[in-house]
């Protein structure tokens, strides 16, 4: 599986001091791992006003804990308040925004003008970043929002590299762009299939991802596919711009945003780690930068769908959508998290996240150089009792590792060639 190859079409432009790597965090644990694995900032959802109502989302106490953890790494926390509000949503908005400010949140991501205006009025320490839900594509619209006092615009996913170049040439403002994750089959954020099919409003946080369902076509009440044939979907392939980090930096993107507040802990850590290495490598020596295959390999170990480059270089066509049942992309399953390691004995305590047993090939990885494969030999519980398998969720498993590991390193299990 490979990502579409696009030619480098962007000339050298003013370089940023360093672009921000912005990661999703569906809960407090994911926030901590995203930051630990290299995110400069994370975006989360609170209990109200966000577009991922099915995520775990954060209480104010969890926000405060997340902010304090992020500060230890010099990272920031943003909160999505990106719904389009109905009349009944407005009650309590001022109190909610003030509470975000008091929790130490650095910025909100908003689309509705009333949320933007209210935040500027009652919580002035909160930056307001314009959400991608506004579908901003051109420099004059970006200029409008700058004049409204916003320091950053999150561009629509449909924006091209050349569009970004024109925006940066005409408006002195921070630009945030999605560079990895799920794409929308509709114009981003404007789909109403979920509303019609399930009465779940995609613009109020309830999208049922109707584009990923299986469909049939009917002619005079007769299905065109036989019962033995696979039904079709109309979902888009996922976005991946790891191969084109130099283009994104050269054109002036200020914040590289990864989609996925509903994605797994393993997905968040793996993707953040790969982009962190690529960005740091390019910024350290742009003239001699080389994309490493191991970064791409890591992305594929967590990928849920085939990958492409979205709208950055051209308009996606039929080849950029998934009309047939998807093959499982990732050859690895998330198996565990390292809790502790004893250098003298070589024994690690691993918190189990998926079934594994002696004889399985596993891979350890982490943000500070940990990377190796080994076959699982004997395993035991923390009392030293031998186990034939790690089958209980979150059980603490003692395993001998062939190389040193660190707390918060991850273990994944190979499930297919």
């Amino acid at each position: 599986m490979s990502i579409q190859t696009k030619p480098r079409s962007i000339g050298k432009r003013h370089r940023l001091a360093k672009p921000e790597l912005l990661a999703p965090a569906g809960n407090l644990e994911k926030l901590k791992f995203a930051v630990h694995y290299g995110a400069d900032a994370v975006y989360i959802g609170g209990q109200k006003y966000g577009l991922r109502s099915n995520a775990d989302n954060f209480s104010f106490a969890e926000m405060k804990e997340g902010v304090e953890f992020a500060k230890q790494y010099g990272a920031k926390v943003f909160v999505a308040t990106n719904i389009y509000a109905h009349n009944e949503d407005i009650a309590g908005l001022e109190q909610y925004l003030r509470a975000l400010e008091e929790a130490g949140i650095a910025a909100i991501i908003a689309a509705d003008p009333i949320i933007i205006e209210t935040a500027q009025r009652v919580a002035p320490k909160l930056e307001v970043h314009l959400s991608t839900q506004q579908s901003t594509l051109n420099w004059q619209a970006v200029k409008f929002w700058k004049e409204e006092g916003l320091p950053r615009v999150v561009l629509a996913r449909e924006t091209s590299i050349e569009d970004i170049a024109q925006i940066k040439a005409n408006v002195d403002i921070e630009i945030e762009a999605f560079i990895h994750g799920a794409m929308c089959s509709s114009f981003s954020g404007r789909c109403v299939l979920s509303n019609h099919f399930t009465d779940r409003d995609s613009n109020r946080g309830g999208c049922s991802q109707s584009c990923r369902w299986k469909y049939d076509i009917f002619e005079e009440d007769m299905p065109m596919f036989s019962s033995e044939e696979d039904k079709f979907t109309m979902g888009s392939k996922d976005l991946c711009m790891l191969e084109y980090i130099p283009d994104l930096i050269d054109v002036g993107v200020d914040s590289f945003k990864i989609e996925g507040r509903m994605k797994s802990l393993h997905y968040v850590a793996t993707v953040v780690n790969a982009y962190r290495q690529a960005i740091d490598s390019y910024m350290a020596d742009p003239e001699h930068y080389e994309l490493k295959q191991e970064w791409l390999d890591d992305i594929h170990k967590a990928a849920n769908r085939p990958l492409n480059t979205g709208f950055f270089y051209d308009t996606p066509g039929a080849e950029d959508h998934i009309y047939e049942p998807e093959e499982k992309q990732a050859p690895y399953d998330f198996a565990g998290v390292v809790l502790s390691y004893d250098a003298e004995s070589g024994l690690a305590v691993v918190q189990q996240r998926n079934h594994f047993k002696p004889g399985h090939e596993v891979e350890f990885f982490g943000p500070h150089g940990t990377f190796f494969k080994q076959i699982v030999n004997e395993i035991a519980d923390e009392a030293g009792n031998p186990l034939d398998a790690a089958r209980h969720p979150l059980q603490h498993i003692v395993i001998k590792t062939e190389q040193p590991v660190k707390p918060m390193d991850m273990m994944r299990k190979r499930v297919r060639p």
Side-chain angles (χ1 to χ4, degrees), residues 9 13 43 59 78 96 151 168 196 279-280 297 300 305 333 371 384 387 405:
S9 60
R13 294 186 172 91
Y43 63 101
S59 66
F78 307 153
Y96 182 79
K168 294 296 289 187
H196 285 298
I279 293 168
D280 288 351
D297 291 344
H300 293 315
R305 304 183 185 100
D333 277 345
F371 182 81
L387 300 173
V405 291

Side-chain angles (χ1 to χ4, degrees), residues 124-264:
K125 293 181 182 179
L126 280 178
E127 283 193 2
V128 180
H129 299 170
L130 187 72
S131 171
T132 191
Q133 292 297 108
Q134 270 289 348
S135 301
T136 307
L137 293 158
N138 65 80
W139 71 264
Q140 292 183 72
V142 172
K143 183 172 180 287
F144 168 85
W145 288 109
K146 180 185 178 181
E147 292 171 349
E148 290 297 309
L150 274 63
R152 178 183 294 189
V153 168
V154 187
L155 296 176
R157 287 178 174 86
E158 294 77 16
T159 314
S160 71
I161 281 277
E162 293 300 334
D163 290 331
I164 297 172
Q166 289 191 43
I167 291 168
K168 294 296 289 187
N170 286 280
V171 189
D172 182 17
I173 193 171
E174 291 182 7
I175 292 299
E176 180 177 309
F178 281 95
I179 51 87
H180 194 93
M183 298 286 283
C184 186
S185 293
S186 176
F187 203 93
S188 294
R190 306 293 181 179
C191 181
V192 294
L193 286 178
S194 178
N195 304 57
H196 285 298
F197 291 161
T198 67
D199 199 28
R200 288 168 53 181
D201 190 340
S202 56
N203 284 315
R204 299 175 81 189
C207 181
S208 61
Q209 296 196 354
S210 307
C211 58
R212 306 289 181 186
W213 296 359
K214 293 181 179 180
Y215 291 89
D216 206 336
I217 298 175
F218 290 80
E219 182 176 7
E220 295 182 354
D221 298 326
M222 293 296 293
M224 295 183 65
F225 295 102
S226 69
S227 59
E228 290 79 21
E229 290 180 299
D230 291 322
K231 306 297 187 290
F232 75 93
T233 66
M234 50 184 171
S236 60
K237 294 181 179 179
D238 281 1
L239 173 66
C240 178
M241 287 294 288
L242 184 66
E243 292 187 69
Y244 307 100
I245 291 297
D247 283 1
L248 295 170
I249 293 176
D250 290 349
V251 81
V253 176
D254 297 276
S255 180
F256 294 177
K257 189 169 192 172
I258 298 167
E259 181 276 336
R261 278 193 285 144
M262 301 289 286
K263 299 289 179 62
S264 71

Side-chain angles (χ1 to χ4, degrees), residues 266 301 328 330-335 354 411-415:
H266 172 247
K301 290 171 184 176
K328 182 177 175 60
Y332 285 80
D333 277 345
F334 179 30
N354 272 301
M411 185 180 85
R412 51 193 172 206
K413 176 185 69 175
R414 190 168 188 88
V415 293

